[in-house]
Amino acid sequence: MLTVLLFLLSSTVCQGTNNKLTQLGHVEDHFTSLQRMYNNCEVVLSNLEITYVEHNRDLTFLKTIQEVAGYVLIALNMVDVIPLENLQIIRGNVLYDNSFALAVLSNYHMNKTQGLRELPMKRLSEILNGGVKISNNPKLCNMDTVLWNDIIDTSRKPLTVLDFASNLSSCPKCHPNCTEDHCWGAGEQNCQTLTKVICAQQCSGRCRGKVPSDCCHNQCAAGCTGPRESDCLACRKFRDDATCKDTCPPLVLYNPTTYQMDVNPEGKYSFGATCVRECPHNYVVTDHGSCVRSCNTDTYEVEENGVRKCKKCDGLCSKVCNGIGIGELKGILSINATNIDSFKNCTKINGDVSILPVAFLGDAFTKTLPLDPKKLDVFRTVKEISGFLLIQAWPDNATDLYAFENLEIIRGRTKQHGQYSLAVVNLKIQSLGLRSLKEISDGDIAIMKNKNLCYADTMNWRSLFATQSQKTKIIQNRNKNDCSKSVCFPAFAKAHNEMEE
Ligand SMILES: *[C@@H]1O[C@H](CO)[C@@H](O)[C@H](O)[C@H]1NC(C)=O
Ligand SMILES: *[C@@H]1O[C@H](CO)[C@@H](O)[C@H](O)[C@H]1NC(C)=O
Ligand SMILES: *[C@@H]1O[C@H](CO)[C@@H](O)[C@H](O)[C@H]1NC(C)=O
Ligand SMILES: *[C@@H]1O[C@H](CO)[C@@H](O)[C@H](O)[C@H]1NC(C)=O
Ligand SMILES: *[C@@H]1O[C@H](CO)[C@@H](O)[C@H](O)[C@H]1NC(C)=O
Ligand SMILES: *[C@@H]1O[C@H](CO)[C@@H](O)[C@H](O)[C@H]1NC(C)=O
C-alpha cells in the first residue's frame, strides 16, 4: 500500500494528445513522438492515443501510465501486445466520438496475419465517465471475459459497443482462481479484480471485498486498501497529498471575526485531479485557484508576485485587430461588407479605419455586397485606433458617429495623405458624438462639408492634441447662425464632463 501511495505522490505528468486517427508524419516519426510523450509518464492530462504502432515495436514504456484524464484510443495498431498494465482509471473528461472513454478499434493488418492479441489492462477498474467501444479487432482475446459493468458507471448509462469479432476458440481461458471467470488474459496475474458488483449493499461506491467492512470511502475511485479516504487506489475528484478530497483546500478562508477573507496558509491549487502548492511551469492560475494552460475569454494573463494569473477583464477583454493597411487588409481602401466582421469584439485596431461611400454602395467588380448600416455597431467596442479614422460615408439617418462613442484614443501613427488622423467629410450627422475621445496623439483633423453639423469649430480640440503642431481644418459645415442650441449636443466627453463638474 505504501508503495502505491508514494508512487502517486511524486507522479510525473504528461500532456497527452488530441490527434484522433491522424498519423503524424511517417509511421516511424509517429512512434517516436508516442515514445517521447509517454516515456516515464504516470498521469496523462488529456488523452492517451496509441495508433499506427507496427508489429515489432516495444511498448513497455506504456507500463508507467496509471491515470488518464481524457479518453484512451487504441486504433490501427499491428503490434501484438499493448501492456497498459498499471492503468487504473480513465476519467473520461473528454470522450472519443462524444461517447467513449475507451475505444479499441481496427487493430490488425490488412492480410489479417498480424494484429493486436493482448490488452492486459489488469488494473483498470474505473471509468468515471463515458462508455467503451471495442470493434474490429480480429486477433484480440479476452475482451469478452472482462466484466465491463464493474468498470463503467452504469448509472449514467454510457454508450457501450462491444463487438468481439475475434476467433475466440483460440484465446486463453481465465485462470481457475479468477473471480467468476473474469480476466484480461492468461494466468492468475491477469484475473480481473472486481471492486463494484461484489460490494455489500452498504457500500456507496467501491469495495475491496464482499463484507460491509470492506467498503471504500466514497471519495475513492478504482478501489482501496482500507476504509479511509487515504486508502484509495485513485481519487474520484482530487488528491491532496495521500488523501482523496471533494475539493482542494481553498486559497482564502472567511474570517468571522474580521469579516474578511484571509489567505489560507494550507491553500492549494487544483491541477487536473491533484492539489498542488504551485501551478507547474507554463500553467496560469485562475480566480478559482486552478492551474490552466490559457486564460478563458473573459480573463487576461498577468504576472503578480511572480505568479502568472488570469484576471477578470474590466468590461470587454482587450483584443487587438488589424485595421485597413495591415495584414489581410493591406491594399484595401475601405471597411466593407466582406471585411467588417473581422472587427468583432476588437478593442484596439492596429492600422486605420476608413469608411468610404463604396462600402454602402457595394462593388460588383470585387463581389462586395452593400454594407448593412447595422453592422457598424461592431465598432462600439473599439477604444483605440493606432492609425487614422476617416469617415466619408455614414448612414443618412444617423445623427452622430454613434458607433465610435467608446473610442478613446486616435494615435495617428499613420495619416491620411500623410496629414490627417481624423477626417469626417460629407456626412449628414448633426454632432460628432465622440463622447469618449480623450486624445489624438498626432496628425491634423479635417471636418468638412457636413451640412448638418454644428459647433465642431467651437470645441477645444487643442485639449485632445498631444503636440503643438497639430492643426484643425473645420470648414463648410452647418452655418453657425442656423445652429440652434436645442438641436446640438456636446460633441465629446471633455465638454460633457466640464459641464457636469
Ligand atoms: C502480411 O503482412 C505482413 C506485413 O506486411 C507480412 O510480413 C506477411 O508476410 C503478410 N502475410 C501474408 C500471408 O501475406
Ligand atoms: C480459429 O482458431 C482455430 C484454432 O487456432 C483455427 O483452427 C481456426 O482455423 C480459426 N478460425 C478462423 C476463422 O480463423
Ligand atoms: C488458487 O488460489 C489458492 C489460494 O488463494 C492457491 O492455494 C491455489 O494454488 C490456487 N490455484 C491455482 C491453480 O493456482
Ligand atoms: C472589400 O473587402 C474585401 C476583403 O477585405 C476586399 O477583398 C475587397 O476588395 C473590398 N472591396 C472594396 C470595394 O473595397
Ligand atoms: C465576441 O465576444 C462574445 C462575448 O464575449 C463572444 O460570445 C463571441 O464569441 C465573440 N466573438 C468573436 C468573433 O470573437
Ligand atoms: C435608420 O434607418 C434604418 C432603416 O433604414 C433603421 O433600421 C435604423 O434604426 C435607423 N436608425 C436611426 C438612428 O434612426
Side-chain angles (χ1 to χ4, degrees), residues 76-139:
L76 305 168
N77 300 291
M78 281 177 275
V79 68
D80 281 346
V81 185
I82 297 182
L84 287 169
E85 290 175 8
N86 289 303
L87 179 62
Q88 277 181 329
I89 177 169
I90 304 172
R91 295 188 184 277
N93 294 341
V94 180
L95 297 178
Y96 183 72
D97 243 358
N98 291 320
S99 303
F100 305 109
L102 172 64
V104 183
L105 313 172
S106 303
N107 293 285
Y108 66 99
H109 188 271
M110 291 294 249
N111 68 17
K112 301 214 177 186
T113 55
Q114 295 171 354
L116 181 62
R117 289 168 202 275
E118 296 173 38
L119 189 55
M121 301 190 289
K122 57 190 183 193
R123 293 219 163 76
L124 180 64
S125 47
E126 183 92 66
I127 292 178
L128 286 174
N129 180 45
V132 175
K133 180 172 184 175
I134 298 179
S135 173
N136 221 353
N137 306 284
K139 298 276 162 188

Side-chain angles (χ1 to χ4, degrees), residues 175-177 188:
H175 187 274
N177 271 7
E188 200 171 0

